Amino acid sequence: NAGVTQTPKFRVLKTGQSMTLLCAQDMNHEYMYWYRQDPGMGLRLIHYSVGEGTTAKGEVPDGYNVSRLKKQNFLLGLESAAPSQTSVYFCASTPRQGVADTQYFGPGTRLTVL
Amino acid sequence: AQSVTQPDIHITVSEGASLELRCNYSYGATPYLFWYVQSPGQGLQLLLKYFSGDTLVQGIKGFEAEFKRSQSSFNLRKPSVHWSDAAEYFCAVTHGISGGSNYKLTFGKGTLLTVNP
């Protein structure tokens, strides 16, 4: 049981390039989330998904797209990377959307946009 | 709007000393509160959570937190800090997303804990 995994761990992009971050969970969780973490800002929600085939915007969605074609995978895409998207990206999942449910986090992807 | 404030950006304590990390929340209804810890280069791990019942909550690694509704606080404590506790600590509150039954976490900005030998 690997929990929540993220691919890749590190990436450097040039401005305007595109890339996709992959989040995978093997816990059969319904809900998945993408956050970004910036110094002094805590974690901010980018997009989330309440089930296979559904996605919704979070707090800071601009410049990102997501897809949840399979229950276990949640992809975060950057179509045209900008330096402001330099950040550490975390994926998380919960079994359901209960108010007290714990979110399980992946190890993060450190992205640098030059 | 819901918010979480962690007043201390960085705290330094000596190994063996007691620790208290502060967290204040702003939320109109009953909050559901969490403390997460992030070790260097790692993802976040849940320490403890409060959603009802006893206001003193026990967590992993010897941590506890007390919910005080009158002070809108959920401070994290540990009687004796170990060097391995050096990490960043995040307080978070769950609240409903308007118009739906989905909930999302709002995080504080974190408190970085340094432990001196």
Side-chain angles (χ1 to χ4, degrees):
Chain A
N1 190 335
V4 180
T5 59
Q6 293 182 232
T7 308
K9 289 184 169 54
F10 303 94
R11 185 72 185 268
V12 178
L13 290 178
K14 295 181 179 178
T15 297
Q17 288 184 318
S18 64
M19 77 163 294
T20 300
L21 284 66
L22 171 63
C23 175
Q25 51 92 4
D26 60 3
M27 299 175 283
N28 201 35
H29 286 178
E30 288 291 335
Y31 303 92
M32 297 186 74
Y33 311 82
W34 275 108
Y35 294 91
R36 61 177 289 171
Q37 183 181 32
D38 302 292
M41 299 295 290
L43 276 78
R44 293 180 292 170
L45 182 65
I46 304 171
H47 286 281
Y48 64 100
S49 168
V50 301
E52 182 178 321
T54 69
T55 63
K57 294 180 180 179
E59 186 184 355
V60 288
D62 294 342
Y64 305 95
N65 57 74
V66 288
S67 64
R68 183 102 181 267
L69 298 180
K70 293 183 179 180
K71 185 177 182 178
Q72 63 268 35
N73 295 337
F74 194 29
L75 278 64
L76 178 71
L78 287 72
E79 290 186 349
S80 179
S84 61
Q85 294 178 303
T86 294
S87 187
V88 181
Y89 292 86
F90 288 98
C91 177
S93 69
T94 56
R96 55 188 171 91
Q97 197 64 26
V99 67
D101 275 359
T102 300
Q103 291 194 10
Y104 295 85
F105 284 82
T109 295
R110 184 173 295 275
L111 175 66
T112 301
V113 182
L114 302 176
Chain B
Q2 297 82 0
S3 65
V4 176
T5 302
Q6 294 180 246
D8 304 304
I9 296 173
H10 187 191
I11 285 182
T12 300
V13 299
S14 298
E15 191 169 17
S18 64
L19 172 70
E20 183 169 29
L21 301 182
R22 296 183 291 165
C23 173
N24 295 97
Y25 66 89
S26 171
Y27 183 54
T30 301
Y32 299 89
L33 296 154
F34 303 75
W35 275 101
Y36 283 84
V37 60
Q38 183 181 28
S39 297
Q42 303 295 315
L44 279 72
Q45 179 185 22
L46 180 71
L47 281 177
L48 48 79
K49 61 184 177 183
Y50 169 81
F51 53 96
S52 67
D54 193 344
T55 56
L56 185 62
V57 180
Q58 301 298 320
I60 62 171
K61 305 185 181 187
F63 285 92
E64 66 178 25
E66 186 171 11
F67 171 59
K68 293 185 177 180
R69 185 185 298 275
S70 61
Q71 299 178 16
S72 297
S73 69
F74 188 56
N75 294 348
L76 182 71
R77 301 193 294 248
K78 187 170 185 178
S80 178
V81 171
H82 188 263
W83 63 267
S84 61
D85 294 324
E88 191 158 19
Y89 293 80
F90 293 93
C91 183
V93 62
T94 296
H95 53 88
I97 297 172
S98 60
S101 60
N102 299 317
Y103 296 90
K104 72 181 186 76
L105 280 174
T106 295
F107 286 88
K109 295 183 178 181
T111 297
L112 181 64
L113 175 66
T114 298
V115 180
N116 287 335

